[in-house]
Amino acid sequence: MHVIAWLLTQRAIDAGEMPAALDDDPLRALAPAPVTEDEVLDTMPAGTQALVRSSIDLYRRAERIERAKTSPPPASPARAMFERLAMQL
């Protein structure tokens, strides 16, 4: 439910239905994910395990998107090599 609420907020901001300033509102940020213990997950039926694991994966992807908005992208190894070559020329 946290991811759904976060995605709907992002969509509304992108569509101009909400001001972009609300994107920084802590109340609209992606809430922390609940912890799922592996021991408990292993006791669940296979279908439930698959659903929970897919939900965890979805949440992690949403977290990466959220972090990417506030932090610079990681340095590209190819870009670093290109810059080293350029300095030697």
Side-chain angles (χ1 to χ4, degrees):
M1 295 308 296
H2 296 294
V3 174
I4 292 170
W6 179 80
L7 283 170
L8 288 172
T9 299
Q10 299 306 307
R11 187 176 88 177
I13 290 170
D14 288 345
E17 297 168 359
M18 293 175 68
L22 288 179
D23 196 23
D24 295 332
D25 185 352
L27 293 175
R28 300 189 190 283
L30 189 61
V35 177
T36 304
E37 297 179 12
D38 289 333
E39 297 82 26
V40 174
L41 189 58
D42 291 339
T43 65
M44 297 178 183
T48 304
Q49 287 183 30
L51 179 63
V52 171
R53 291 183 201 285
S54 294
S55 297
I56 291 169
D57 180 56
L58 174 65
Y59 193 88
R60 287 181 181 153
R61 287 187 278 155
E63 281 181 320
R64 283 194 299 269
I65 294 169
E66 180 76 8
R67 280 194 311 267
K69 294 187 317 185
T70 58
S71 62
S76 164
R79 170 71 64 193
M81 184 171 62
F82 178 74
E83 290 172 0
R84 284 195 309 269
L85 289 171
M87 288 174 41
Q88 292 179 0
L89 296 176

